[in-house]
Amino acid sequence: MSDLEPERSASTVLSHLGSMVVVSAILGVVCAGLAIPFAAVAGLSARDVAETMNELPEELETEALPQRTKILAADGSTLATLYDENRVNVGLNKVSKVMRKAIVSIEDYRFYQHGALDVKGTMRAFITNQAAGQVSQGGSSITQQMVKLSLLNQAGDNAEERKAAQEDTIARKLRELRYAVAFEQNYSKDWILERYLNIAYFGDGVYGIQAAARHYFSKDAGQLRLREAATLAGLVKNPVGYDPTNYPDKAMARRNVVIDRMAQLNVIPEKRAEKVKDQGLKLKITPNRNGCLFSNAPFFCDYVVQYLKQDPELGTSRTARENLLKSGGLTIKTTIDMRFQQAADDSVKDHVYATDNAIGGLAMIEPGTGNVKALAQSRPMGNDQDKGQTFLNYTIPEDLGGARGFQAGSTFKAFTLAQAIDQGISLSTRIPSPDSRTFSESDYEDCDGEPYGSGSFNVQNSTDAESSPNLYTGTQLSVNTFFMALEQRTGICKPYRLAKKMGIRLTNPTGPGAERVPSFTLGIADTTPLEMAEAYATFAGRGVHCDSRPVTRIEDANGTLVKSYPKSCLQVLPGGVADAVNDVLRGVQEGSGFGASNGLALNQESAGKTGTTSNQQAVWFLGYTPNLATASMIAGANRAGSPDTLVGQYVGGSYISTASGSGTAGPMWGDAMHAVEQYLPDDDFTAPPADQISGLLVEIPSTGGKSVDDAKKVLEDAGFATSVTSYQVDSSYPQGTVAYTSPGSGDTGSSGDTVTIYVSDGTPYVPPPPPKKDNGGGDKKDKKKGGGDDGNGNGGGNGGGNNKGRGNGNGGGNGNNGR
């Protein structure tokens, strides 16, 4: 015998005595009047143990078990799961019978016969452990195990409570027993078994029988068969050591132990047991995917989580809200349309590569609801910077956990345009707009009604434009000097405040890097795709601004409504003003507009605005239909996300020698929109009200043959002023009716313009004879009557007029349009 043997023997004796004390204490408490034969060895008495038990709370308040939260797309598909413990609670009736029999057979086969304590099991374990010289068999009932797991669960991250729940002391065992007695008195056996199956850890990050069934076998707990049930039942004793994904041989051996035990207890026939034991584990793993990193739309998912963490109704603190999201078993229903998301992802990946020194971002928002349909960016979610990965969301604003954003360039001109229209500046207003112009700060009124400053600055145009464009051409050609002059008329404050009402954060109005400055209209403020899509959705929504909304409702694990998120909308711009803005911006997508010239026009009506910063660090294309607004941004940025120029970079495999909104960001917008337009209702923009919007370009209606009063009404309803000539002209229309107008029908004029009405004398127009060869032309009288250079052409027959004429026949012959 070695020198250590006496010491070892003494230690073993003390260990055995401790075990006897525990068993004696338990037996003494549960069985009234039963002596505690070993208590004296440890200096305890039955009274000591009884008093200790009486000092404990009679019941353990069972808190709800943490469950994973599901985030769903608009179509109901799972977007992501969030959890601290991957658990989905199920009722016992949702667990297969063989699973229930397997867990009871191996853990506590007399569960339905004994009370809180299995006396026979405890004594058997005690005797077995004495014979073995160590703790080789446990005697805890399922109820006691459930109590211990509940205490651990409710300890959470509290180190002291977790230690107390696991310490190997008589006090802990007595505490657990007292709680177990209370559970047995107050709850049914089925309730206890159900909670045990839901709370148990099954290894590899899964908690509860439902999550375990889904993870290891890709089926629900109610569909488990003997082979699978025995595998899972065997895990609870040592979920790490028997983990079948890491130790399949040990897991199979443990499974067979369970099957043998079931056969021994006559739960299953011996023949069936031998047959199943010959089978492999046959795992069908469904990977655990915790968090947004594993989502098909990771940055939209991130946006949802950040959005909900800011909702005070979900908890008193940000930490409380986060805990609810990860353990509340919630179902979060979102607005994302995965068809739109796929289109956005595909387009961004095609146009900007993950490792480029640039960032591409797309945001899609539904006007009238604020529903965010998609968010995509070129840098994927992750930690590997060499692969271009990042956890920074460049599509949403900083206050939602996103990036600071990038300057938006000329897309901000739309706010000045809208303000100008709203305060009555005519769309036909022309402003001299030289290629370069020096402006004085004193000409710009700030919010206090005082001039902004006393300095001066120079502005240059980046596009070719006519010398004095109007609001249509100045916007469509994005003329810088035009908008700087227009902002002198609106002031800085009103466009700035309008932009904020439409969803642009603008958190730095004054001081260093201020945004509320004369150059505001040129887009010097940093912003994000989500903000810009929200703002332009306001134009598409006829002046109704809706807050961006990623979530529609939250339900608890039972399907009960926790909170709904209705749309939050407010009219911030008169509908007619928004209609007029849309009318102007349609020019970008039609004819020779920048968007149309780059192939961005859709098969339905659309409008847009380009944006390019002066140093070409960022380019934007903001385009929209009546039912979808999409912001496309490509910004130069190094690996750390700091701004850099796009010029001289390879972006999406193409070398950038010069960057522009329509030519660089536009195609990324176009590819996404062309893919989703098939899902959009084919709606048209509402025509602006000519009687409300000054200078609106309106087609002059046909009035030939109408009475003068009827013609005046038609023209005035279209937004024009009218005048009637004091004389009558030749026309085949009845005398006293309208012969034609100037400008003529089919031409366009600005609302508020005067249309002159010419009254028919009832005599068909007879063209003058051809000029004689010897004098080269007709006389002045005939020439004038024929509607020549005076521009009044006649519509009563041939329409008259030469190329200078603005007259137009309203019908009644084969007249042509004099232009």
Side-chain angles (χ1 to χ4, degrees), residues 133-443:
Q134 59 183 346
V135 179
S136 62
Q137 188 176 115
S140 296
S141 67
I142 282 179
T143 307
Q144 289 172 278
Q145 291 182 55
M146 186 271 290
V147 168
K148 179 178 180 179
L149 292 172
S150 294
L151 289 168
L152 273 172
N153 177 74
Q154 291 170 200
D157 295 329
N158 188 306
E160 284 190 21
E161 290 184 15
R162 292 191 68 84
K163 182 180 178 182
Q166 299 178 86
E167 60 187 359
D168 190 15
T169 64
I170 294 174
R172 175 183 70 80
K173 294 180 182 294
L174 290 176
R175 182 170 67 250
E176 287 178 4
L177 179 59
R178 180 57 176 257
Y179 290 143
V181 170
F183 275 120
E184 289 279 352
Q185 291 174 341
N186 294 309
Y187 296 97
S188 69
K189 287 286 190 178
D190 282 353
W191 184 95
I192 293 169
L193 181 61
E194 177 184 305
R195 183 172 175 87
Y196 176 70
L197 284 168
N198 280 317
I199 200 172
Y201 180 52
F202 286 86
D204 206 24
V206 290
Y207 293 79
I209 190 60
Q210 173 65 10
R214 293 300 307 172
H215 176 59
Y216 291 115
F217 299 107
S218 297
K219 59 173 58 177
D220 290 328
Q223 299 173 317
L224 292 170
R225 304 180 68 179
L226 173 60
R227 169 178 49 81
E228 301 152 342
T231 302
L232 297 182
L235 293 179
V236 295
K237 179 179 180 181
N238 186 356
V240 176
Y242 294 139
D243 181 350
T245 63
N246 293 318
Y247 309 106
D249 291 342
K250 291 182 179 180
M252 184 178 292
R254 176 64 178 168
R255 179 203 67 180
N256 292 344
V257 168
V258 175
I259 292 174
D260 284 340
R261 181 62 172 160
M262 294 175 74
Q264 181 185 10
L265 295 171
N266 295 317
V267 175
I268 58 173
E270 185 70 33
K271 187 175 180 180
R272 186 184 179 197
E274 294 303 318
K275 181 179 179 180
V276 174
K277 282 165 61 178
D278 288 339
Q279 299 176 9
L281 291 174
K282 297 183 180 181
L283 301 178
K284 188 178 180 182
I285 300 293
T286 295
N288 296 326
R289 298 188 179 277
N290 184 16
C292 294
L293 180 64
F294 300 99
S295 172
N296 289 330
F299 287 104
F300 178 85
C301 172
D302 173 71
Y303 169 43
V304 168
V305 172
Q306 298 300 329
Y307 177 85
L308 295 176
K309 282 182 183 178
Q310 293 193 1
D311 186 351
E313 293 186 33
L314 299 181
T316 56
S317 67
R318 189 176 178 87
T319 299
R321 296 164 209 151
E322 186 171 3
N323 289 338
L324 175 64
L325 292 177
K326 289 186 175 182
S327 62
L330 307 176
T331 296
I332 300 169
K333 298 185 177 182
T334 74
T335 59
I336 190 174
D337 187 319
M338 293 308 297
R339 301 169 302 175
F340 290 58
Q341 183 64 43
Q342 189 64 57
D345 283 335
D346 290 345
S347 184
V348 171
K349 289 175 184 176
D350 286 346
H351 289 277
V352 186
Y353 298 158
T355 55
D356 287 345
N357 281 337
I359 294 168
L362 271 177
M364 295 179 168
I365 292 182
E366 183 178 66
T369 64
N371 289 349
V372 181
K373 311 292 278 187
L375 288 177
Q377 71 178 47
S378 58
R379 294 189 178 178
M381 185 175 283
N383 278 320
D384 194 337
Q385 287 193 357
D386 290 338
K387 293 182 179 179
Q389 295 177 356
T390 181
F391 281 100
L392 187 58
N393 193 339
Y394 287 95
T395 63
I396 64 174
E398 195 171 16
D399 63 300
L400 284 171
R404 177 181 174 181
F406 297 89
Q407 289 184 338
S410 294
T411 56
F412 268 40
K413 290 173 181 173
F415 305 127
T416 305
L417 170 68
Q419 181 56 45
I421 298 171
D422 191 32
Q423 66 188 52
I425 295 176
S426 173
L427 292 171
S428 60
T429 299
R430 292 188 176 274
I431 302 175
S433 305
D435 287 339
S436 178
R437 180 178 168 185
T438 298
F439 293 88
S440 298
E441 291 179 344
S442 59
D443 292 333

Side-chain angles (χ1 to χ4, degrees), residues 4-39:
L4 293 175
E5 187 62 27
E7 210 171 308
R8 173 185 173 278
S9 298
S11 175
T12 302
V13 170
L14 289 174
S15 175
H16 291 175
L17 289 174
S19 297
M20 288 186 284
V21 170
V22 173
V23 174
S24 301
I26 291 172
L27 293 177
V29 173
V30 177
C31 305
L34 182 66
I36 305 180
F38 305 109

